[in-house]
Every structure is written in C-alpha cells, then in structure tokens.
Amino acid sequence: MEIEISTPALLFPAISLLLLAYTNRFLTTGQLIRSISHQAREHGGQELSGQIENLKKRLELTKWMQFFGVVSMLMCTISMFALFLGFHNFGK
C-alpha cells in the first residue's frame, strides 16, 4: 500500500475541529460544576455532590480526549515528515 504525504495532512483540519469541540465541552462542563457547586453551598444539598463527582469524572475523560488529540496531531506531523524524507515504512 502506498501512502502519500497528503494523506496525513488531510487529518489536520479534522483533529483541530475535534480539539475545539473537546475544549468547548470541557468549558461547559466546568461551568456546570461551578453552578451546581454554588447551588449546593446555598441550599446545602447532599444529592448534588453525586452529580458533581460524575461531572468531575467527565472532565477527566475530556482531558484524556484532548491529550490523545494532541498526540494524534504530533503523530500526523511525524508521519508527514518521515514520508517527506523518504522513510515510507516509518511514515506508514
């Protein structure tokens, strides 16, 4: 199978859009946690602490998604560079 240098380059717009979506999700979830935490302090709701813990787990997963998005961007760059230099097996 032959792979050209343009193949990994096509992934750059998709990865950047995914990172933008993950960042928006992270910010929205963080804002929701702050809002629920404020409500819990005002009204003393114990049932809200379970929701906050669940949202914190979601934030942790979103951080990992962002991390792997950055790793995939790095791997695309390395793949393009290897293909440019003629190391086709490494670039694949």
Side-chain angles (χ1 to χ4, degrees):
M1 175 177 103
E2 280 299 313
I3 185 170
E4 296 178 11
I5 196 167
S6 63
T7 306
L10 291 173
L11 294 175
F12 278 103
I15 293 171
S16 63
L17 286 175
L18 278 174
L19 288 174
L20 181 65
Y22 294 155
T23 302
N24 287 338
R25 180 175 291 186
F26 183 84
L27 293 174
T28 304
T29 307
Q31 185 179 13
L32 186 60
I33 288 174
R34 285 189 292 275
S35 172
I36 292 174
S37 176
H38 185 268
Q39 287 177 359
R41 274 186 264 128
E42 281 185 354
H43 304 295
Q46 288 296 90
E47 66 276 352
L48 295 177
S49 64
Q51 290 180 358
I52 291 173
E53 289 301 317
N54 185 15
L55 289 171
K56 284 182 181 179
K57 289 178 187 176
R58 289 176 65 181
L59 272 182
E60 189 65 31
L61 289 174
T62 306
K63 284 183 200 177
W64 280 106
M65 288 189 297
Q66 288 175 324
F67 171 75
F68 283 115
V70 171
V71 169
S72 67
M73 183 80 80
L74 180 65
M75 295 302 286
C76 281
T77 306
I78 291 171
S79 175
M80 285 177 53
F81 191 64
L83 290 171
F84 179 72
L85 294 177
F87 300 116
H88 294 287
N89 287 334
F90 185 72
K92 288 180 187 179

